[in-house]
């Protein structure tokens, strides 16, 4: 555990009544009313990450004011409803017991609270870096409120930002608008979350580790105390300067994308190697503690709102510094190639050649349990096949509306799973939704020209489906020649 203390600035003492209480306080507060000793929290940005975090903090006993510029999100929170699609969020909101409110007034929320978490968008720029166009205005409003605030305040940047942003432009915006230097009654931390959509609540409450970039030790202590009172496990904590926390966030996600891409490379080799089975190889690989079993599935590429852009941001940073990040660039290129790899597999199975035929794509969200289609392999595959002139029908249990907004009339939208399956000569299950396990073999059955079913995650019922289709599990090689055949060929040689 590192305890570097940033630039050594320290706050005026965190007075009783404002300080985070003992680690047990939050859990006891969850069953009683929130004790006044708990800091009051503000969460700016009630989107896919901010609303589950606000709900979890309030469910754990903190008084939380949520702030957003979108009236629909404010109304949803006020009514105790999820403003975004996230499993378990409705249940978590039901546990907040009146401790979570919402408003558009960030200045008032800053005055009424002790700690502000900023969780606004930081969109990717053309060069791969992250824009601060939402974060800076939020910081200026918070700073203006701090100008007249008499009690200490902690500002926590949770949004993903480029290394140098927190202690650079964000601190400057807060200092200029407040008229107070960082450390003069307010502190600043950068603390990102490593969560995946669809499991944000579980990931937030049981993190592998806490990452805190701090302007000073007291600010880091304060944030660590809040997080420890919220999480349900005992994670290690890395306490560093904000620039090192910012780089660590990008480094973690780039490492994970490298691992995913590595497993996909092994899957591609296995798919062509007689007798090979990627699951046998990755299961053994994962036993090596230097490697570990997570993210070694060997299937299709990564997508979503974090992995692709964090990878690109690391490359962008390296370019800006005159350093090399070829590994990150190759991972990105290889991941993009992944969609073409699946498209080529589809073409190879089309009965009427690569420019004619009907394909069904099952899965448009970038992973199960979310409606987000950003950089999703299913959506990219559907577009690639439609651009090639094929008749493409798509289906997803949650992401149809988001897909329609991108694909428009380039594809057909099935009303349900069965309609999609029946619409394809080749059917590709590309997002591993559990619902696809309910595919009935009878929907696929077609004696004259059996359908092809490409199972990208090798999770469907292979035996039942093989009986009625040409079942193609990605990452499983053609049958190995029988042992005697090998023997004979050796003798001939
Ligand atoms: N979604 C994830 O899984 C995830 C994971 C890790 C990190 N992040 C990071 O978290 C940040 C937020 O991501 P998200 O997915 O929640 O975005 P989002 O677009 O779902 O939500 C952002 C919310 O912020 C609101 N907002 C914008 N400007 C505002 C302002 N000035 N004041 C108040 N509200 C404002 C928007 O109306 C929106 O509701 C990004 O930096 C992202 O990279 C997201």
């Amino acid at each position: 555990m590192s305890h570097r203390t940033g630039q050594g600035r320290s706050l005026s003492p965190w007075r009783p009544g404002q300080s985070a209480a003992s680690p047990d306080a939050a859990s006891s507060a969850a069953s009683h009313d929130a004790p006044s000793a708990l800091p009051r929290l503000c969460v700016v940005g009630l989107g896919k990450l901010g609303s589950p975090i606000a709900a979890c903090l309030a469910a754990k006993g903190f008084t939380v004011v949520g702030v957003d510029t979108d009236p629909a999100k404010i109304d949803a929170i006020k009514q105790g409803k999820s403003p975004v699609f996230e499993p378990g969020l409705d249940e978590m909101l039901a546990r907040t017991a009146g401790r979570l409110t919402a408003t558009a007034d960030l200045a008032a929320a800053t005055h009424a609270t002790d700690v502000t978490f900023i969780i606004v968008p930081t969109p990717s720029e053309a060069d791969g870096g992250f824009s601060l166009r939402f974060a800076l205005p939020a910081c200026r409003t918070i700073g203006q409120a701090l100008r007249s605030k008499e009690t200490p305040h902690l500002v926590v940047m949770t949004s993903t930002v480029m290394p140098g942003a927190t202690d650079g432009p964000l601190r400057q915006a807060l200092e200029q608008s407040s008229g107070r230097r960082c450390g003069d009654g307010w502190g600043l931390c950068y603390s990102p979350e490593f969560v995946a959509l669809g499991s944000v609540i579980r990931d937030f409450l049981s993190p592998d580790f806490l990452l805190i970039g701090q302007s000073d030790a007291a600010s880091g202590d304060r944030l660590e105390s809040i997080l420890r009172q919220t999480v349900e496990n005992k994670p290690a904590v890395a306490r560093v300067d904000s620039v090192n926390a910012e780089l660590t966030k990008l480094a973690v996600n780039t490492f994970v994308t490298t691992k995913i891409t590595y497993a996909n490379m092994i899957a591609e080799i296995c798919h062509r190697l007689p007798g090979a089975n990627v699951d046998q190889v990755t299961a053994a690989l994962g036993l090596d503690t230097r490697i570990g079993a997570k993210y070694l599935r060997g299937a299709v590429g990564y997508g979503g709102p974090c992995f692709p852009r964090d990878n690109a941001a690391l490359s962008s940073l390296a370019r800006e510094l005159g350093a090399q990040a070829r590994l990150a660039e190759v991972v990105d290129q290889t991941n993009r190639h992944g969609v073409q790899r699946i498209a080529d597999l589809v073409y190879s199975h089309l009965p009427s050649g690569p420019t004619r035929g009907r394909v069904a794509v099952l899965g448009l969200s970038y992973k199960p349990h979310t409606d987000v289609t950003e950089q999703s392999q299913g959506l990219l595959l559907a577009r690639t096949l439609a651009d090639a002139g094929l008749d493409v029908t798509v289906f997803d249990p949650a992401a149809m509306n988001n897909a329609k907004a991108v694909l428009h009339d380039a594809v057909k939208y099935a009303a349900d799973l069965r309609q999609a399956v029946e619409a394809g000569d080749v059917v590709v299950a590309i997002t591993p939704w559990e619902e696809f396990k309910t595919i009935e073999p009878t929907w696929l059955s077609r004696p004259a020209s059996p359908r092809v079913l490409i199972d990208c995650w090798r999770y469907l019922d292979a035996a039942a489906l093989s009986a009625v289709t040409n079942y193609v599990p990605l990452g499983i090689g053609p049958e190995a020649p029988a042992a005697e055949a090998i023997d004979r060929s050796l003798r001939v040689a």
Side-chain angles (χ1 to χ4, degrees):
M1 185 167 85
S2 170
H3 281 289
R4 290 179 61 188
T5 54
Q7 292 148 16
R9 288 185 289 264
S10 70
L11 286 173
S12 52
W14 193 250
R15 291 192 289 276
Q18 292 149 351
S19 77
S22 67
D24 291 331
S27 48
S28 71
S31 49
H32 309 290
D33 281 336
S36 57
L38 284 173
R40 297 157 300 171
L41 312 179
C42 170
V43 174
V44 189
L46 296 171
K48 297 181 288 295
L49 184 59
S51 56
I53 288 183
C56 287
L57 291 166
K60 292 290 176 178
F62 292 98
T63 300
V64 181
V65 183
V67 180
D68 207 290
T69 46
D70 178 357
K73 295 215 171 63
I74 296 169
D75 284 349
I77 290 288
K78 281 183 173 165
Q79 291 168 29
K81 292 186 184 147
S82 300
V84 295
F85 179 103
E86 183 59 37
L89 181 51
D90 278 318
E91 293 76 3
M92 194 54 74
L93 285 166
R95 289 169 51 194
T96 59
R99 286 182 294 267
L100 174 60
T101 54
T103 176
D105 191 341
L106 175 54
T110 306
H111 269 291
T113 56
D114 307 302
V115 180
T116 301
F117 292 85
I118 301 176
I119 319 183
V120 299
T122 49
S124 295
E125 306 265 33
D127 67 357
F130 301 130
S131 164
L132 296 176
R133 69 175 187 268
F134 295 97
L136 284 172
C139 284
R140 287 189 201 106
T141 308
I142 294 164
Q144 279 151 16
L146 291 180
R147 194 172 270 274
S148 56
K149 193 160 187 274
E150 287 174 0
T151 52
H153 203 90
L154 174 63
V155 180
V156 181
M157 190 65 195
T158 303
S159 300
T160 308
V161 294
M162 291 302 280
T166 305
D167 202 37
L170 297 174
R171 179 170 63 81
Q172 283 158 19
L174 286 158
E175 288 184 336
Q176 279 166 10
S177 51
S178 67
R180 296 160 74 167
R181 300 294 305 271
C182 181
D184 173 17
W186 64 274
L188 181 60
C189 287
Y190 172 72
S191 184
E193 292 298 331
F194 298 95
V195 301
L197 295 178
S199 55
V200 173
I201 290 172
R202 189 189 64 206
D203 297 346
F204 177 66
L205 293 178
S206 302
D208 274 351
F209 72 112
L210 299 172
L211 177 57
I212 296 177
Q214 57 194 31
S215 61
D216 61 283
S219 296
D221 288 349
R222 208 162 293 154
L223 177 58
E224 184 176 342
S225 168
I226 292 166
L227 295 176
R228 286 216 180 276
Q229 290 171 78
T230 305
V231 299
E232 294 173 350
N233 59 349
K234 295 192 186 315
V237 60
R239 296 260 303 258
V240 294
D241 294 343
S242 58
V243 69
N244 288 308
E246 290 159 336
L247 181 58
T248 303
K249 159 72 160 88
L250 301 185
V252 167
N253 279 353
T254 302
F255 192 92
V256 173
T257 55
T258 305
K259 205 171 169 192
I260 292 170
T261 307
Y262 184 88
N264 291 349
M265 175 187 76
I266 300 295
E268 186 169 0
I269 293 169
C270 286
H271 199 82
R272 290 155 191 261
L273 179 67
N277 180 326
V278 66
D279 293 323
Q280 291 185 19
V281 178
T282 54
L285 260 180
L287 295 177
D288 189 319
T289 53
R290 293 169 301 176
I291 298 173
K294 286 185 181 171
Y295 288 99
L296 270 188
R297 191 69 190 273
V300 297
Y302 57 84
C306 284
F307 280 162
R309 76 192 203 105
D310 283 6
N311 190 290
L314 192 78
S315 307
S316 166
L317 175 72
R319 275 195 303 277
E320 202 182 305
L321 297 170
Q324 282 187 0
R326 283 200 199 133
L327 182 60
E329 285 162 15
V330 167
V331 165
D332 182 51
Q333 286 156 12
T334 309
N335 195 59
R336 288 173 197 277
H337 165 73
V339 174
Q340 193 57 49
R341 179 170 63 104
I342 310 285
D344 289 341
L345 189 61
V346 170
Y347 301 150
S348 74
H349 285 285
L350 280 173
S352 46
T355 55
R356 285 178 50 229
R358 301 181 313 144
V359 183
V361 176
L362 308 182
L364 300 166
S365 59
Y366 83 96
K367 64 186 284 298
H369 310 299
T370 177
D371 63 354
V372 172
T373 57
E374 218 171 317
Q375 296 292 309
S376 127
Q377 299 287 306
L379 190 113
L380 293 172
L381 177 69
R383 187 154 53 197
T384 302
L385 299 174
D387 286 350
L390 297 176
D391 176 338
V392 180
T393 301
V394 298
F395 177 73
D396 189 280
M400 291 297 259
N401 286 339
N402 288 341
K404 277 180 195 167
V406 182
L407 294 172
H408 305 291
D409 56 4
V411 300
K412 295 173 185 161
Y413 299 90
D416 54 31
L417 180 59
R418 178 176 187 162
Q419 199 181 82
V421 168
E422 291 180 346
D425 299 319
V426 177
V427 179
V428 190
I430 191 161
T431 311
W433 282 99
E434 279 296 301
E435 183 170 339
F436 299 160
K437 288 185 175 171
T438 64
I439 292 174
E440 295 277 344
T442 51
W443 303 348
L444 287 149
S445 170
R446 198 172 59 167
S449 59
R451 286 191 169 84
V452 177
L453 175 62
I454 300 175
D455 181 357
C456 296
W457 295 83
R458 305 169 302 281
Y459 78 118
L460 301 175
D461 185 342
L465 297 170
S466 301
V468 290
T469 57
N470 177 3
Y471 175 75
V472 181
L474 199 70
I476 308 289
E479 259 182 48
E484 335 153 4
I486 294 172
D487 261 8
R488 256 200 315 276
S489 69
L490 285 175
R491 274 200 297 275
V492 171

